[in-house]
Amino acid sequence: MAPKRGGPPGRTIISDNRKARFNFEIEDTVEAGIELKGTEVKSLRTGKANIGESYAAEHNGEIWIYNVYIPEYLQGNRFNHEPRRPRKLLLHKREIGKLAGAVQKEGKTIVPLKLYFNEQGRAKLEIALARGKKVHDKRETEKKRDWDREKARIMKNHG
């Protein structure tokens, strides 16, 4: 999968978390740098990464992102990185305080939205403060659908 252009001019999107916009009600977005080591940058430049199952959390006054999948760089086998290691997000203290406060006081979640390279070629992660959407209960609709089927079957056999 090659990186795709999108958004503001010069931005190259590597991974987009569409599921987050479906599962959460997005309120506030923040652009954060991501601390990368070794061959992770080369792997990102080839457009291989996935933030679909990732999440962010505050730990010891820092925001960390967990479960981001950046595959190993094949040509750099000796200096390769761990594909799902926790990575520190580079934010100002004020932004960290705002995010951590919203999580603790208001029960919000820090959700990663996009992983991209900005105009200067730096890897950035767009994160958001989000509130979980109320999930529609499918059981009622399934019961109604099954009953309608059963009723049609009964009417057909006895009618």
Side-chain angles (χ1 to χ4, degrees), residues 39-81:
T39 56
E40 291 175 337
V41 177
K42 291 180 181 181
S43 191
L44 284 178
R45 291 245 183 254
T46 60
K48 297 176 180 171
N50 187 0
I51 61 168
E53 299 170 5
S54 62
Y55 61 96
E58 187 265 337
H59 181 70
N60 292 338
E62 297 172 333
I63 304 290
W64 289 78
I65 185 146
Y66 300 94
N67 216 17
V68 172
Y69 179 71
I70 300 176
E72 293 178 341
Y73 185 66
L74 296 176
Q75 290 80 7
N77 60 358
R78 188 166 154 237
F79 301 106
N80 259 335
H81 58 274

Short mmCIF file of all heavy atoms in Angstrom, two decimals, residues 39-81:
data_model
loop_
_atom_site.label_atom_id
_atom_site.label_comp_id
_atom_site.label_asym_id
_atom_site.label_seq_id
_atom_site.Cartn_x
_atom_site.Cartn_y
_atom_site.Cartn_z
N THR A 39 14.59 1.77 12.11
CA THR A 39 14.02 1.53 10.78
C THR A 39 12.53 1.88 10.68
O THR A 39 11.94 1.68 9.63
CB THR A 39 14.21 0.06 10.38
OG1 THR A 39 13.62 -0.75 11.40
CG2 THR A 39 15.68 -0.28 10.23
N GLU A 40 11.94 2.40 11.75
CA GLU A 40 10.51 2.72 11.72
C GLU A 40 10.20 3.80 10.68
O GLU A 40 9.18 3.73 9.99
CB GLU A 40 10.04 3.18 13.10
CG GLU A 40 10.03 2.07 14.10
CD GLU A 40 9.68 2.52 15.51
OE1 GLU A 40 9.86 3.71 15.83
OE2 GLU A 40 9.23 1.67 16.28
N VAL A 41 11.08 4.78 10.53
CA VAL A 41 10.85 5.86 9.57
C VAL A 41 10.87 5.29 8.15
O VAL A 41 10.02 5.62 7.33
CB VAL A 41 11.90 6.97 9.72
CG1 VAL A 41 11.69 8.05 8.67
CG2 VAL A 41 11.83 7.58 11.11
N LYS A 42 11.83 4.42 7.86
CA LYS A 42 11.92 3.82 6.52
C LYS A 42 10.68 2.98 6.23
O LYS A 42 10.17 2.98 5.11
CB LYS A 42 13.17 2.97 6.40
CG LYS A 42 14.43 3.79 6.40
CD LYS A 42 15.65 2.90 6.27
CE LYS A 42 16.90 3.75 6.28
NZ LYS A 42 18.10 2.96 6.15
N SER A 43 10.21 2.27 7.21
CA SER A 43 9.01 1.46 7.03
C SER A 43 7.79 2.36 6.78
O SER A 43 6.93 2.05 5.95
CB SER A 43 8.79 0.59 8.26
OG SER A 43 7.81 -0.36 8.02
N LEU A 44 7.71 3.49 7.49
CA LEU A 44 6.61 4.43 7.28
C LEU A 44 6.68 5.08 5.91
O LEU A 44 5.67 5.32 5.26
CB LEU A 44 6.62 5.52 8.35
CG LEU A 44 6.10 5.13 9.72
CD1 LEU A 44 6.22 6.30 10.68
CD2 LEU A 44 4.69 4.64 9.67
N ARG A 45 7.88 5.38 5.45
CA ARG A 45 8.05 6.02 4.13
C ARG A 45 7.53 5.12 3.01
O ARG A 45 7.09 5.61 1.98
CB ARG A 45 9.50 6.35 3.87
CG ARG A 45 10.01 7.44 4.76
CD ARG A 45 10.40 8.67 3.99
NE ARG A 45 10.95 9.66 4.92
CZ ARG A 45 10.30 10.74 5.31
NH1 ARG A 45 9.10 10.98 4.87
NH2 ARG A 45 10.85 11.59 6.14
N THR A 46 7.59 3.81 3.20
CA THR A 46 7.05 2.90 2.19
C THR A 46 5.52 2.79 2.29
O THR A 46 4.90 2.13 1.48
CB THR A 46 7.67 1.49 2.30
OG1 THR A 46 7.38 0.97 3.60
CG2 THR A 46 9.16 1.52 2.05
N GLY A 47 4.93 3.43 3.31
CA GLY A 47 3.48 3.47 3.44
C GLY A 47 2.89 2.30 4.18
O GLY A 47 1.71 2.01 4.05
N LYS A 48 3.70 1.61 4.97
CA LYS A 48 3.20 0.44 5.67
C LYS A 48 3.04 0.75 7.16
O LYS A 48 4.02 0.82 7.88
CB LYS A 48 4.16 -0.73 5.49
CG LYS A 48 4.29 -1.16 4.06
CD LYS A 48 5.30 -2.24 3.91
CE LYS A 48 5.42 -2.64 2.45
NZ LYS A 48 6.54 -3.51 2.23
N ALA A 49 1.81 0.92 7.58
CA ALA A 49 1.49 1.12 8.99
C ALA A 49 -0.01 0.96 9.16
O ALA A 49 -0.77 1.11 8.20
CB ALA A 49 1.94 2.49 9.46
N ASN A 50 -0.42 0.67 10.39
CA ASN A 50 -1.85 0.51 10.66
C ASN A 50 -2.13 1.04 12.07
O ASN A 50 -1.52 0.58 13.03
CB ASN A 50 -2.25 -0.95 10.55
CG ASN A 50 -3.74 -1.14 10.66
OD1 ASN A 50 -4.49 -0.18 10.83
ND2 ASN A 50 -4.18 -2.37 10.59
N ILE A 51 -3.05 1.99 12.17
CA ILE A 51 -3.43 2.52 13.48
C ILE A 51 -4.87 2.13 13.82
O ILE A 51 -5.46 2.66 14.74
CB ILE A 51 -3.26 4.05 13.55
CG1 ILE A 51 -4.15 4.76 12.53
CG2 ILE A 51 -1.82 4.45 13.41
CD1 ILE A 51 -4.24 6.25 12.73
N GLY A 52 -5.41 1.16 13.10
CA GLY A 52 -6.81 0.77 13.29
C GLY A 52 -7.13 0.23 14.67
O GLY A 52 -8.21 0.46 15.19
N GLU A 53 -6.20 -0.46 15.29
CA GLU A 53 -6.45 -1.06 16.60
C GLU A 53 -5.70 -0.34 17.71
O GLU A 53 -5.58 -0.86 18.83
CB GLU A 53 -6.04 -2.53 16.57
CG GLU A 53 -6.80 -3.34 15.56
CD GLU A 53 -6.22 -4.73 15.38
OE1 GLU A 53 -5.28 -5.08 16.12
OE2 GLU A 53 -6.70 -5.43 14.50
N SER A 54 -5.18 0.84 17.44
CA SER A 54 -4.34 1.52 18.43
C SER A 54 -5.16 2.40 19.36
O SER A 54 -6.31 2.74 19.07
CB SER A 54 -3.29 2.36 17.71
OG SER A 54 -3.91 3.34 16.93
N TYR A 55 -4.55 2.75 20.48
CA TYR A 55 -5.17 3.65 21.45
C TYR A 55 -4.07 4.42 22.16
O TYR A 55 -2.90 4.01 22.16
CB TYR A 55 -6.02 2.87 22.46
CG TYR A 55 -5.25 1.88 23.28
CD1 TYR A 55 -4.78 2.21 24.55
CD2 TYR A 55 -4.98 0.60 22.80
CE1 TYR A 55 -4.06 1.31 25.31
CE2 TYR A 55 -4.26 -0.31 23.55
CZ TYR A 55 -3.81 0.06 24.80
OH TYR A 55 -3.09 -0.85 25.54
N ALA A 56 -4.41 5.54 22.75
CA ALA A 56 -3.44 6.37 23.46
C ALA A 56 -3.86 6.50 24.91
O ALA A 56 -5.05 6.47 25.24
CB ALA A 56 -3.34 7.74 22.81
N ALA A 57 -2.85 6.64 25.79
CA ALA A 57 -3.12 6.79 27.22
C ALA A 57 -2.01 7.60 27.87
O ALA A 57 -0.89 7.64 27.37
CB ALA A 57 -3.23 5.42 27.88
N GLU A 58 -2.34 8.21 29.01
CA GLU A 58 -1.37 8.99 29.76
C GLU A 58 -0.65 8.07 30.74
O GLU A 58 -1.27 7.24 31.40
CB GLU A 58 -2.10 10.12 30.51
CG GLU A 58 -1.20 11.10 31.20
CD GLU A 58 -0.96 10.78 32.66
OE1 GLU A 58 -1.79 10.08 33.25
OE2 GLU A 58 0.06 11.24 33.19
N HIS A 59 0.69 8.22 30.81
CA HIS A 59 1.49 7.40 31.73
C HIS A 59 2.67 8.24 32.20
O HIS A 59 3.48 8.69 31.39
CB HIS A 59 1.98 6.13 31.03
CG HIS A 59 2.78 5.23 31.91
ND1 HIS A 59 2.21 4.53 32.94
CD2 HIS A 59 4.10 4.93 31.92
CE1 HIS A 59 3.15 3.83 33.55
NE2 HIS A 59 4.30 4.06 32.95
N ASN A 60 2.76 8.49 33.50
CA ASN A 60 3.84 9.28 34.11
C ASN A 60 3.99 10.66 33.48
O ASN A 60 5.10 11.09 33.17
CB ASN A 60 5.18 8.53 34.04
CG ASN A 60 5.19 7.31 34.93
OD1 ASN A 60 4.42 7.21 35.88
ND2 ASN A 60 6.06 6.37 34.63
N GLY A 61 2.91 11.35 33.24
CA GLY A 61 2.96 12.70 32.69
C GLY A 61 3.28 12.77 31.21
O GLY A 61 3.62 13.83 30.70
N GLU A 62 3.20 11.65 30.51
CA GLU A 62 3.45 11.61 29.07
C GLU A 62 2.30 10.87 28.40
O GLU A 62 1.66 10.03 29.02
CB GLU A 62 4.76 10.88 28.76
CG GLU A 62 5.99 11.55 29.34
CD GLU A 62 7.24 10.72 29.17
OE1 GLU A 62 7.14 9.47 29.09
OE2 GLU A 62 8.33 11.30 29.13
N ILE A 63 2.07 11.16 27.14
CA ILE A 63 1.04 10.46 26.37
C ILE A 63 1.76 9.43 25.50
O ILE A 63 2.69 9.75 24.78
CB ILE A 63 0.22 11.42 25.49
CG1 ILE A 63 -0.42 12.54 26.32
CG2 ILE A 63 -0.84 10.67 24.70
CD1 ILE A 63 -1.54 12.12 27.23
N TRP A 64 1.32 8.18 25.60
CA TRP A 64 1.90 7.08 24.84
C TRP A 64 0.83 6.49 23.94
O TRP A 64 -0.35 6.45 24.29
CB TRP A 64 2.41 5.98 25.78
CG TRP A 64 3.63 6.39 26.54
CD1 TRP A 64 3.67 7.21 27.63
CD2 TRP A 64 4.97 6.02 26.26
NE1 TRP A 64 4.97 7.36 28.04
CE2 TRP A 64 5.78 6.63 27.23
CE3 TRP A 64 5.56 5.21 25.29
CZ2 TRP A 64 7.17 6.47 27.25
CZ3 TRP A 64 6.93 5.04 25.33
CH2 TRP A 64 7.72 5.67 26.28
N ILE A 65 1.26 6.01 22.78
CA ILE A 65 0.34 5.33 21.88
C ILE A 65 0.73 3.86 21.85
O ILE A 65 1.90 3.52 21.77
CB ILE A 65 0.33 5.96 20.47
CG1 ILE A 65 -0.74 5.28 19.63
CG2 ILE A 65 1.66 5.90 19.80
CD1 ILE A 65 -1.39 6.18 18.67
N TYR A 66 -0.27 3.00 21.96
CA TYR A 66 -0.06 1.57 22.03
C TYR A 66 -0.69 0.88 20.82
O TYR A 66 -1.68 1.35 20.29
CB TYR A 66 -0.70 1.00 23.32
CG TYR A 66 -0.12 1.60 24.57
CD1 TYR A 66 -0.72 2.69 25.19
CD2 TYR A 66 1.04 1.09 25.13
CE1 TYR A 66 -0.19 3.25 26.33
CE2 TYR A 66 1.57 1.65 26.28
CZ TYR A 66 0.95 2.72 26.88
OH TYR A 66 1.49 3.27 28.01
N ASN A 67 -0.11 -0.23 20.45
CA ASN A 67 -0.67 -1.13 19.43
C ASN A 67 -0.67 -0.54 18.02
O ASN A 67 -1.47 -0.95 17.20
CB ASN A 67 -2.08 -1.56 19.83
CG ASN A 67 -2.35 -2.98 19.42
OD1 ASN A 67 -1.44 -3.74 19.15
ND2 ASN A 67 -3.62 -3.35 19.37
N VAL A 68 0.21 0.42 17.73
CA VAL A 68 0.38 0.89 16.36
C VAL A 68 1.25 -0.13 15.66
O VAL A 68 2.32 -0.49 16.15
CB VAL A 68 1.07 2.27 16.32
CG1 VAL A 68 1.42 2.65 14.89
CG2 VAL A 68 0.19 3.32 16.94
N TYR A 69 0.80 -0.61 14.52
CA TYR A 69 1.55 -1.63 13.80
C TYR A 69 2.39 -0.98 12.71
O TYR A 69 1.87 -0.49 11.71
CB TYR A 69 0.61 -2.67 13.19
CG TYR A 69 1.34 -3.74 12.41
CD1 TYR A 69 2.11 -4.68 13.08
CD2 TYR A 69 1.30 -3.78 11.04
CE1 TYR A 69 2.81 -5.65 12.38
CE2 TYR A 69 1.98 -4.75 10.33
CZ TYR A 69 2.74 -5.68 11.01
OH TYR A 69 3.44 -6.63 10.32
N ILE A 70 3.70 -0.96 12.93
CA ILE A 70 4.66 -0.52 11.92
C ILE A 70 5.53 -1.74 11.63
O ILE A 70 6.34 -2.13 12.47
CB ILE A 70 5.52 0.67 12.41
CG1 ILE A 70 4.62 1.85 12.77
CG2 ILE A 70 6.54 1.07 11.34
CD1 ILE A 70 5.35 3.03 13.36
N PRO A 71 5.36 -2.38 10.47
CA PRO A 71 6.07 -3.63 10.21
C PRO A 71 7.58 -3.43 10.13
O PRO A 71 8.06 -2.32 9.90
CB PRO A 71 5.50 -4.09 8.87
CG PRO A 71 4.96 -2.88 8.24
CD PRO A 71 4.55 -1.96 9.34
N GLU A 72 8.29 -4.52 10.30
CA GLU A 72 9.75 -4.47 10.22
C GLU A 72 10.18 -4.08 8.81
O GLU A 72 9.54 -4.45 7.83
CB GLU A 72 10.35 -5.82 10.59
CG GLU A 72 10.13 -6.19 12.03
CD GLU A 72 10.68 -7.56 12.37
OE1 GLU A 72 10.90 -8.36 11.44
OE2 GLU A 72 10.89 -7.82 13.55
N TYR A 73 11.28 -3.36 8.73
CA TYR A 73 11.85 -2.96 7.44
C TYR A 73 12.73 -4.10 6.96
O TYR A 73 13.70 -4.47 7.62
CB TYR A 73 12.64 -1.66 7.62
CG TYR A 73 13.17 -1.09 6.34
CD1 TYR A 73 12.30 -0.61 5.37
CD2 TYR A 73 14.53 -1.01 6.09
CE1 TYR A 73 12.76 -0.06 4.19
CE2 TYR A 73 15.01 -0.46 4.92
CZ TYR A 73 14.13 0.01 3.97
OH TYR A 73 14.59 0.54 2.80
N LEU A 74 12.38 -4.69 5.83
CA LEU A 74 13.03 -5.92 5.38
C LEU A 74 14.52 -5.78 5.14
O LEU A 74 15.29 -6.69 5.42
CB LEU A 74 12.34 -6.44 4.11
CG LEU A 74 10.88 -6.85 4.27
CD1 LEU A 74 10.28 -7.25 2.94
CD2 LEU A 74 10.76 -7.97 5.28
N GLN A 75 14.97 -4.63 4.62
CA GLN A 75 16.39 -4.47 4.32
C GLN A 75 17.22 -4.17 5.56
O GLN A 75 18.44 -4.21 5.50
CB GLN A 75 16.60 -3.33 3.30
CG GLN A 75 16.12 -3.65 1.91
CD GLN A 75 14.62 -3.50 1.72
OE1 GLN A 75 13.93 -3.03 2.61
NE2 GLN A 75 14.12 -3.92 0.58
N GLY A 76 16.61 -3.86 6.66
CA GLY A 76 17.35 -3.51 7.88
C GLY A 76 17.21 -4.56 8.96
O GLY A 76 16.97 -4.22 10.10
N ASN A 77 17.38 -5.81 8.62
CA ASN A 77 17.07 -6.89 9.56
C ASN A 77 17.87 -6.83 10.86
O ASN A 77 17.39 -7.21 11.90
CB ASN A 77 17.22 -8.26 8.89
CG ASN A 77 18.62 -8.51 8.39
OD1 ASN A 77 19.50 -7.66 8.48
ND2 ASN A 77 18.83 -9.69 7.83
N ARG A 78 19.11 -6.35 10.83
CA ARG A 78 19.93 -6.35 12.04
C ARG A 78 19.48 -5.28 13.03
O ARG A 78 19.58 -5.45 14.24
CB ARG A 78 21.40 -6.13 11.65
CG ARG A 78 22.33 -6.31 12.80
CD ARG A 78 23.77 -6.42 12.34
NE ARG A 78 24.61 -5.98 13.42
CZ ARG A 78 25.48 -5.01 13.34
NH1 ARG A 78 25.66 -4.37 12.22
NH2 ARG A 78 26.20 -4.67 14.38
N PHE A 79 19.00 -4.18 12.52
CA PHE A 79 18.61 -3.06 13.39
C PHE A 79 17.10 -2.88 13.44
O PHE A 79 16.60 -1.79 13.70
CB PHE A 79 19.25 -1.76 12.87
CG PHE A 79 20.74 -1.83 12.82
CD1 PHE A 79 21.39 -1.96 11.61
CD2 PHE A 79 21.49 -1.78 13.97
CE1 PHE A 79 22.75 -2.02 11.55
CE2 PHE A 79 22.86 -1.84 13.94
CZ PHE A 79 23.50 -1.97 12.71
N ASN A 80 16.36 -3.93 13.19
CA ASN A 80 14.91 -3.82 13.12
C ASN A 80 14.27 -3.49 14.46
O ASN A 80 14.84 -3.72 15.52
CB ASN A 80 14.28 -5.09 12.54
CG ASN A 80 13.91 -4.92 11.09
OD1 ASN A 80 13.67 -3.82 10.64
ND2 ASN A 80 13.87 -6.01 10.37
N HIS A 81 13.07 -2.98 14.38
CA HIS A 81 12.31 -2.56 15.55
C HIS A 81 11.20 -3.57 15.85
O HIS A 81 10.87 -4.41 15.03
CB HIS A 81 11.68 -1.18 15.28
CG HIS A 81 10.80 -1.17 14.09
ND1 HIS A 81 11.27 -0.95 12.81
CD2 HIS A 81 9.46 -1.35 13.96
CE1 HIS A 81 10.27 -0.99 11.96
NE2 HIS A 81 9.16 -1.24 12.63
#
